[in-house]
């Protein structure tokens, strides 16, 4: 851990957020008082600089970050929690996002003062005509949402029947984020106008615009079983392709005085893209990392490291502590961390000769490393594990960049319809090929294995087992092998208890 000092800050911060969320004691000002006392102790330590007591500084810093996480989480809960009246009342709010069509209703996000609520409105033409910025009057009983919705910033939910709501006719001004989401909707309309097929549209919208509202259950299931559901959620892979495209297009800005300008332009474009797709946790993480990698290259430091990953996590959790409980945040960070840790081990297992062989083995090593790290979380949340993920990801790693780059080419060639129609045809065939791949893999026997992880304890034991195994590979010391086997025994014991008594 001495090599990765930022991790020593991020881990206690995450621990403070986690425990504050579990206990939710509403402790008031005592954490702040303790934080100030800790600052005094740290200040005294810095003045004394006693080397023999250096662990006190480390423990104090960890306690400081733990309390920061606790205070931020309490503040986030206070901001989102509301005690709603038990009877029906009249409310007023502004449509914050365009209504999304569900199986039996429209789901509409409203902003009421500084609180966000989800309304479920009947499926009719009046609801379908609602737009962002419309002001609504409605009469209903507001209920407290489920806990996972609290963590998304939603303070209440309600169903409003037909006739119990109306628009005031006033249109409120749109924020920058709303304007970005409106731009995404217009881009989707353009996709349809340009000739993107109905079958390809849901996947292309998810791949390039981050909108997954049109994906049906069968498509999601096929991609999940095939082991490539991550391509439907914008993440580091997608942002990485865009980052490479931007840096390649601005390669002419290579001079000593132009490199910072190139970094600034790329960063602004990536953040603009992040706003358009709704600031998803995985996208924010990827953009922050690209920004830090660019800064590192300006100073001549290592492009990607665990410290870079830890800095991204630290800033995101300081900005919004509830990111810690976001599935995309967890999977995204764990996947990158696993690649950094296990990729050298996998790639070094086989001495591939030739550029093509090394490229194929590199892609398979990255996929295996990411799957190894995310497997416990995937099995915990989704109770399945894809068997043919290596084959699927190998082909998908070729198709996804083609789809992303051809999509940008389609947008760039919009003024020339003749040439653009050829590009649209190539794009439709590429997305169809990705869909057929997912469906074919999903139809193979034993394509997915169902396995439930025995709760949080099972996840901890699994990651301890991976960590001890990695330490044994690095040091070849027998003590790490013994600890890995002990963690394995604990995991098996928890699993047997889970299937026997729960």
């Amino acid at each position: 851990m001495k090599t990765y000092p930022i991790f020593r800050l991020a881990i206690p911060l995450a621990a403070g957020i986690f425990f504050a969320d579990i206990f939710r004691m509403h402790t008031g000002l005592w954490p702040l008082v303790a934080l100030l006392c800790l600052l005094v102790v740290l200040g005294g330590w810095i003045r004394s600089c006693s080397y023999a007591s250096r662990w006190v500084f480390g423990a104090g810093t960890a306690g400081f970050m733990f309390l920061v996480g606790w205070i931020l989480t309490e503040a986030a809960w206070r901001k989102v929690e509301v005690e709603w009246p038990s009877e029906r009342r009249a409310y007023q709010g502004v449509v914050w996002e365009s209504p999304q069509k569900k199986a039996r209703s429209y789901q509409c996000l409203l902003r009421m003062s500084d609180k966000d609520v989800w309304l479920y409105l009947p499926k009719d033409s009046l609801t379908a005509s609602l737009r962002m910025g419309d002001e609504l009057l409605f009469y209903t009983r507001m209920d407290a949402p489920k806990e996972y919705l609290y963590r998304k910033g939603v303070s209440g939910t309600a169903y409003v029947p037909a006739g119990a709501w109306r628009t005031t006719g006033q249109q409120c001004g749109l924020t920058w984020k709303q304007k970005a989401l409106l731009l995404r909707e217009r881009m989707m309309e353009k996709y349809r106008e340009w000739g993107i097929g109905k079958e390809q549209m849901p996947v292309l919208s998810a791949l390039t615009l981050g909108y997954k509202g049109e994906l049906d259950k069968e498509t999601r299931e096929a991609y999940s079983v095939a082991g490539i559901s991550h391509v439907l959620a914008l993440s580091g892979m997608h942002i990485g392709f865009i980052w490479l495209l931007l840096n390649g297009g601005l390669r002419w800005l290579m001079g000593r005085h132009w490199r910072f300008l190139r970094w600034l332009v790329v960063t602004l474009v990536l953040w603009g893209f992040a706003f358009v797709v709704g600031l998803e946790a995985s996208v924010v993480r990827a953009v922050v990392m690209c920004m830090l990698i660019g800064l590192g290259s300006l100073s001549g430091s290592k492009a990607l490291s665990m410290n870079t990953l830890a800095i991204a996590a630290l800033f995101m959790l300081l900005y919004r502590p509830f990111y810690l409980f976001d599935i995309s945040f967890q999977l995204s960070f764990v996947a990158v961390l696993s690649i950094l840790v296990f990729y050298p081990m996998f790639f070094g297992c086989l001495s591939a000769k030739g550029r093509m062989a090394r490229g194929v083995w590199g892609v398979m090593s990255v996929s295996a490393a990411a799957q190894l790290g995310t497997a416990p979380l995937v099995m915990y949340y989704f109770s399945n594990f894809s068997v043919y993920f290596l084959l699927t990801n190998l082909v998908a790693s070729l198709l996804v960049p083609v789809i992303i780059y051809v999509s940008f080419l389609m947008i760039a060639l919009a003024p020339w319809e003749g040439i653009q129609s050829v590009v649209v045809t190539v794009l439709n065939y590429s997305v169809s090929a990705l869909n057929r791949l997912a469906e074919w893999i999903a139809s193979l026997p034993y394509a997915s294995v169902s396995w439930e992880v025995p709760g949080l304890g099972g996840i901890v034991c699994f990651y301890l087992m991976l960590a001890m195994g990695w330490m044994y590979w690095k040091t070849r010391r027998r003590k790490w092998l013994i600890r890995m086997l002990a963690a394995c025994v604990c995991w098996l014991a928890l699993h047997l208890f889970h299937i026997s008594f729960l």
Side-chain angles (χ1 to χ4, degrees):
M1 293 295 291
K2 293 180 179 180
T3 313
Y4 312 111
I6 309 300
F7 257 103
R8 300 169 72 176
L9 300 177
I11 290 175
L13 176 69
I17 294 170
F18 178 76
F19 284 105
D21 182 83
I22 288 179
F23 294 108
R24 217 177 310 159
M25 297 167 60
H26 299 294
T27 48
L29 293 177
W30 79 260
L32 182 59
V33 174
L35 185 61
L36 293 175
C37 293
L38 193 59
L39 281 172
V40 174
V41 173
L42 288 177
W45 160 251
I46 293 173
R47 288 175 63 90
S48 63
C49 293
S50 174
Y51 182 79
S53 303
R54 64 190 182 280
W55 63 270
V56 177
F57 179 76
T61 304
F64 173 83
M65 296 306 299
F66 183 90
L67 288 174
V68 168
W70 191 294
I71 292 172
L72 289 176
T73 307
E74 277 207 1
W77 273 110
R78 286 197 182 94
K79 183 179 179 180
V80 76
E81 282 185 316
V82 177
E83 291 187 8
W84 300 104
S86 58
E87 69 276 4
R88 294 181 176 225
R89 287 192 179 182
Y91 296 97
Q92 182 176 350
V94 177
V95 178
W96 210 245
E97 292 182 5
S98 297
Q100 295 186 15
K101 187 184 294 185
K102 300 297 180 181
R104 299 180 181 179
S105 62
Y106 275 96
Q107 177 183 291
C108 184
L109 179 66
L110 251 69
R111 173 67 57 88
M112 297 168 50
S113 299
D114 60 341
K115 307 295 181 184
D116 290 341
V117 298
W118 270 1
L119 293 188
Y120 293 90
L121 305 175
K123 295 179 72 173
D124 53 34
S125 58
L126 186 61
T127 307
S129 65
L130 285 175
R131 294 292 180 266
M132 280 187 292
D134 288 344
E135 191 176 59
L136 261 63
L137 291 173
F138 56 97
Y139 184 77
T140 188
R141 188 187 73 182
M142 198 71 66
D143 297 318
K146 295 181 180 179
E147 192 168 275
Y148 79 93
L149 290 179
Y150 272 130
R151 292 167 179 162
K152 291 181 177 292
V154 178
S155 299
T157 61
Y159 177 77
V160 184
W165 69 273
R166 67 178 179 85
T167 60
T168 63
Q170 295 184 359
Q171 183 77 18
C172 298
L174 301 181
T175 64
W176 282 105
K177 184 176 180 180
Q178 288 176 312
K179 291 177 181 179
L181 293 175
L182 190 61
L183 175 61
R184 181 173 71 175
E185 293 179 9
R186 290 175 179 170
M187 287 303 304
M188 292 174 61
E189 293 175 2
K190 287 293 183 181
Y191 279 6
R192 296 186 181 93
E193 292 177 8
W194 291 335
I196 300 300
K198 292 183 178 180
E199 178 187 354
Q200 294 83 11
M201 184 65 190
V203 174
L204 185 62
S205 300
L207 274 171
T208 59
L209 299 175
Y211 182 75
K212 296 178 284 186
E214 295 186 358
L215 289 169
D216 54 38
K217 184 178 179 180
E218 291 75 16
T219 302
R220 292 175 184 266
E221 183 69 20
Y223 275 75
S224 177
V225 173
I228 54 172
S229 58
H230 59 278
V231 305
L232 298 177
L234 287 176
S235 60
M237 177 180 67
H238 306 75
I239 301 300
F241 290 139
I242 298 173
W243 183 66
L244 290 173
L245 179 65
L246 292 172
N247 277 286
L250 297 174
R251 184 176 288 274
W252 52 279
L253 294 174
M254 290 293 291
R256 180 180 178 184
H257 302 290
W258 295 101
R259 291 171 63 191
F260 178 77
L261 178 61
R262 182 178 66 172
W263 172 83
L264 183 62
V265 171
V266 171
T267 300
L268 291 176
V269 172
L270 289 180
W271 276 115
F273 180 77
F275 269 97
V276 170
V277 300
L279 291 175
E280 290 287 336
S282 56
V283 176
V284 173
R285 190 271 307 163
V287 173
V288 171
M289 288 195 66
C290 287
M291 182 174 66
L292 294 174
I293 290 170
L295 279 176
S297 64
L298 290 177
S299 60
S301 62
K302 188 178 178 181
L304 180 61
S305 68
M306 291 189 187
N307 276 327
T308 308
L309 183 65
I311 291 172
L314 190 69
F315 283 123
M316 289 181 67
L317 293 177
L318 288 173
Y319 170 71
R320 186 181 176 188
F322 285 152
Y323 268 141
L324 183 67
F325 307 99
D326 191 296
I327 297 176
S328 64
F329 176 90
Q330 296 173 10
L331 291 174
S332 178
F333 273 92
V334 170
V336 176
L337 178 61
S338 184
I339 290 171
L340 289 172
V341 171
F342 294 110
Y343 169 75
M345 182 173 64
F346 286 136
F347 190 75
C349 290
L350 180 65
S351 179
K353 296 182 179 180
R355 189 172 181 178
M356 182 175 293
R358 289 178 61 85
V360 171
W361 181 238
V363 170
M364 296 179 71
S365 299
V366 169
S367 179
Q371 289 287 342
L372 180 62
T374 57
L377 290 176
V378 170
M379 289 188 288
Y380 176 73
Y381 287 117
F382 309 110
S383 300
N384 69 73
F385 181 77
S386 176
V387 175
Y388 306 115
F389 69 90
L390 282 176
L391 172 62
T392 321
N393 280 275
L394 181 61
V395 181
S397 64
L398 300 175
L399 286 174
V400 170
V402 169
I403 293 172
I404 292 175
Y405 291 150
V406 173
S407 298
F408 281 110
L409 185 61
M410 174 184 67
I411 296 171
L413 293 175
W416 300 278
E417 295 182 4
I419 304 176
Q420 189 198 46
S421 62
V422 178
V423 176
V424 170
T425 302
V426 173
L427 189 56
N428 279 325
Y429 276 116
S430 301
V431 177
S432 296
L434 188 62
N435 289 339
R436 298 290 86 79
L437 171 69
E439 293 170 1
W440 175 64
I441 294 293
S443 65
L444 295 176
Y446 308 108
S448 179
V449 177
S450 297
W451 196 324
E452 294 186 8
V453 175
L456 183 61
I459 294 179
V460 172
C461 288
F462 202 108
Y463 281 118
L464 283 175
M465 189 168 54
L466 290 179
M468 302 307 170
W470 180 73
M471 288 299 298
Y472 174 71
W473 176 77
K474 291 285 288 185
T475 64
R476 301 299 179 184
R477 293 183 178 179
R478 189 169 56 182
K479 67 177 183 178
W480 295 112
L481 180 61
I482 295 173
R483 292 170 182 175
M484 183 189 73
L485 294 175
C488 182
V489 170
C490 291
W491 185 83
L492 289 174
L494 284 173
H495 183 69
L496 289 175
F497 178 81
H498 180 77
I499 62 177
S500 301
F501 300 102
L502 299 179

